[in-house]
Amino acid sequence: EARASHGVSGVVEFRSDIFDRSTVASLVDRLERLLDAVATDPDRRIGTIDLLEPAERERVLVEWNTTPDPGADVSGDAVSIPELFARQVEQVPEATAVVFGDRTLTYAELDAASNRLARLLIAEGAGPERIVALALPRSIDMIVAVLAVLKTGAAYLPIDPEHPSERVEFMLHDAAPTVVVSVSALRDAIGGLGVPVLELDHVETRRQVTDRDTAPLSITDGVQPSDPLNPAYVIYTSGSTGTPKAVAMSSGAVVNLLRWHAMTVPGGVGTRTAQFTALSFDVSVQETLSALTTGKTLVIPPDTTRRDAAALAQWLHEHHITELFAPHLVIEAVCQAANETHLHLPHLQHLIQAGEALTLTEPLREFFLHHPTAQLHNNYGPTETHVAT
């Protein structure tokens, strides 16, 4: 006996303080579109059903994407990280690029030092689609090494000397870097793992670096053409299974982030950025390279200062730091230390937190009450998509 179809009826309830009626109506329209499609052709794969109407598809794929490529130059050509840095060398060669203790390098000096090391790394086999591991203590040499690797077109792999030896060994075996750039003090931690090690403080390495040319690199130096899709760095996460997982980030994605950061947190010569985060934490990419590609000064605190909130707050004051990148717990501790000691930080204009959920605690509220010109930036992004999403 034939039975008449009576259809399906339903009611949608929604919170009016979160959704408006038109948004909910569009969701219902898409549900009806789905039900119509499966009723018409029950054997159709769900993934082939288009839930968007033509106008919506046009909006998502065309209208929302008609923005200039932030990684492109005025001419439309893609630019690289070394090219962004080279512009600062040309424009502000005598500006201070990096400070650590009583040692400083201008942009011209940092350029020359990284060019020398880059030439040596090329001789060691560095180039596009290859990896150079960096196992270095906090120092100006660490910054020189990062730039040198990028100038070769290779990707740098940060190795934290304080990580367990099993993790270090796994990373080096898994990534198979062409060479490890390190220092003699870390010989026991890095040596013997089957990867060539270049010790920057070794007398022979110093001689080889000093003998190299300081001029910009060219094809005659063995530099190979690079592509925005070539990795700029490789950083390991803990991995959902407990096994470290490598994330290789393309240089084009990093340039995109740097251009966005330059618009969001503007500044140039005179802006002083704290190089606070560990090199193995991907926030350091944004922190370090955003400074060096916009003419800012990168100021490196010693490890003892980084681990003491009160000392860090005082250091920020003494060095007139403008920008601080740090996890939420560190920023909260610095704010609390400044509050308790009535320390005013008039130069600190941007506090950029990432890596943890941001909670607007009482110490943060009190600090920003007394620093009304300072801004708190809440960045989020998994390592796979780089720092900010």
Side-chain angles (χ1 to χ4, degrees), residues 72-88:
D73 202 348
V74 177
S75 63
D77 297 328
V79 294
S80 67
I81 302 167
E83 286 171 336
L84 292 176
F85 173 72
R87 291 179 183 179
Q88 301 308 313

Side-chain angles (χ1 to χ4, degrees), residues 55-73:
E56 289 178 319
R57 175 169 286 278
E58 175 74 10
R59 188 180 312 124
V60 172
L61 296 182
V62 180
E63 292 178 21
W64 287 353
N65 281 303
T66 54
T67 55
D69 174 15
D73 202 348

Side-chain angles (χ1 to χ4, degrees), residues 303-345:
D303 275 329
T304 52
T305 299
R306 290 176 67 248
R307 297 186 174 110
D308 184 326
L312 179 58
Q314 187 63 40
W315 182 88
L316 294 171
H317 174 68
E318 293 173 355
H319 289 269
H320 296 178
I321 299 300
T322 314
E323 300 173 354
L324 172 65
F325 293 73
H328 165 69
L329 291 178
V330 173
I331 290 180
E332 181 183 39
V334 167
C335 289
Q336 184 168 351
N339 296 339
E340 292 175 349
T341 59
H342 304 288
L343 179 64
H344 190 57
L345 302 174

Side-chain angles (χ1 to χ4, degrees), residues 184-334:
S184 57
L186 299 175
R187 186 176 301 148
D188 292 340
I190 303 300
L193 296 180
V195 182
V197 179
L198 191 67
E199 296 179 1
L200 293 182
D201 56 348
H202 191 282
V203 62
E204 179 59 21
T205 304
R206 286 179 176 174
R207 184 192 65 77
Q208 292 187 52
V209 171
T210 304
D211 288 347
R212 254 73 180 183
D213 194 353
T214 62
L217 281 74
S218 67
I219 194 170
T220 59
D221 298 298
V223 177
Q224 302 175 38
S226 60
D227 186 277
L229 294 179
N230 292 145
Y233 68 82
V234 176
I235 284 182
Y236 277 77
T237 69
S238 58
S240 57
T241 63
T243 301
K245 179 184 67 174
V247 174
M249 186 58 58
S250 69
S251 61
V254 178
V255 170
N256 184 48
L257 177 92
L258 297 178
R259 287 297 184 85
W260 169 81
H261 182 91
M263 293 184 293
T264 307
V265 189
V269 176
T271 300
R272 296 169 70 84
T273 302
Q275 202 289 297
F276 173 84
T277 58
L279 208 61
S280 56
F281 182 25
D282 61 354
V283 172
S284 67
V285 180
Q286 181 182 0
E287 168 196 68
T288 300
L289 297 180
S290 69
L292 297 179
T293 55
T294 54
K296 301 175 182 178
T297 298
L298 201 60
V299 189
I300 308 172
D303 275 329
T304 52
T305 299
R306 290 176 67 248
R307 297 186 174 110
D308 184 326
L312 179 58
Q314 187 63 40
W315 182 88
L316 294 171
H317 174 68
E318 293 173 355
H319 289 269
H320 296 178
I321 299 300
T322 314
E323 300 173 354
L324 172 65
F325 293 73
H328 165 69
L329 291 178
V330 173
I331 290 180
E332 181 183 39
V334 167

Side-chain angles (χ1 to χ4, degrees), residues 31 37 50 95 118 143 146 158 169 246 316-317 343 355 364 378 382:
L31 176 60
D50 193 351
I143 305 303
V146 168
E169 184 173 2
L316 294 171
H317 174 68
L343 179 64
L364 264 67
N378 184 21

